[in-house]
Amino acid sequence: DCISGTIAHGAVPRYRDDSNSVGLYTARVRTPCEVLIHDVLVHEGTFSRPPSNSAAYGESVGAEPFPGYSRKRDWLKFPVTVSLLGRGVEAVHTPHAPRYAEMIQFIFDRLDWDSRRFEVYRCCIEYPVLPSTAAITFDLDEHP
């Protein structure tokens, strides 16, 4: 099992501008695995709408670095769905990693954050293509 996580303060813009229309969250697949679980925990109110797209992209040799979502030729044309699981650590349970929720709670405890204030979006891909990137996109709101 391999589990990695990132806390991304300001990594994705909050509002639409001339160079950004979507918030893109990616999981790069470089190690063979039976299932990729790509969870995005979003603080309440960050986005006004659920994700607008989810997809997987192959990364062929010599391809420029991701973001591959703009590289239509690398789009892997199999269904990739993203689901809203609910809020908080209670929503992250999965049979693929029995102590996953406990690990997530540990991080929230260390940060002194309330996990119930975070929506959990999940994308699962069985036997993901190597190398590839799974992407979840949110349409950005206009600046108020």
Side-chain angles (χ1 to χ4, degrees), residues 12-89:
V12 173
R14 175 89 186 264
Y15 300 108
R16 180 182 302 263
D17 62 29
D18 291 340
S19 55
N20 296 295
S21 61
V22 297
L24 177 70
Y25 295 88
T26 62
R28 299 181 81 187
V29 182
R30 300 295 180 269
T31 304
C33 58
E34 292 179 11
V35 63
L36 167 70
I37 298 172
H38 178 30
D39 284 352
V40 177
L41 285 74
V42 180
H43 191 268
E44 63 188 2
T46 301
F47 300 113
S48 64
R49 297 177 292 274
S52 57
N53 188 35
S54 59
Y57 300 89
E59 295 186 30
S60 55
V61 175
E64 66 263 15
F66 206 77
Y69 77 94
S70 63
R71 293 172 46 90
K72 298 300 182 196
R73 71 174 185 224
D74 292 331
W75 176 42
L76 300 172
K77 296 177 178 119
F78 57 83
V80 176
T81 58
V82 62
S83 303
L84 172 61
L85 300 183
R87 286 179 172 261
V89 72

Side-chain angles (χ1 to χ4, degrees), residues 88-101:
V89 72
E90 294 80 20
V92 302
H93 291 279
T94 174
H96 300 289
R99 296 183 65 200
Y100 181 59

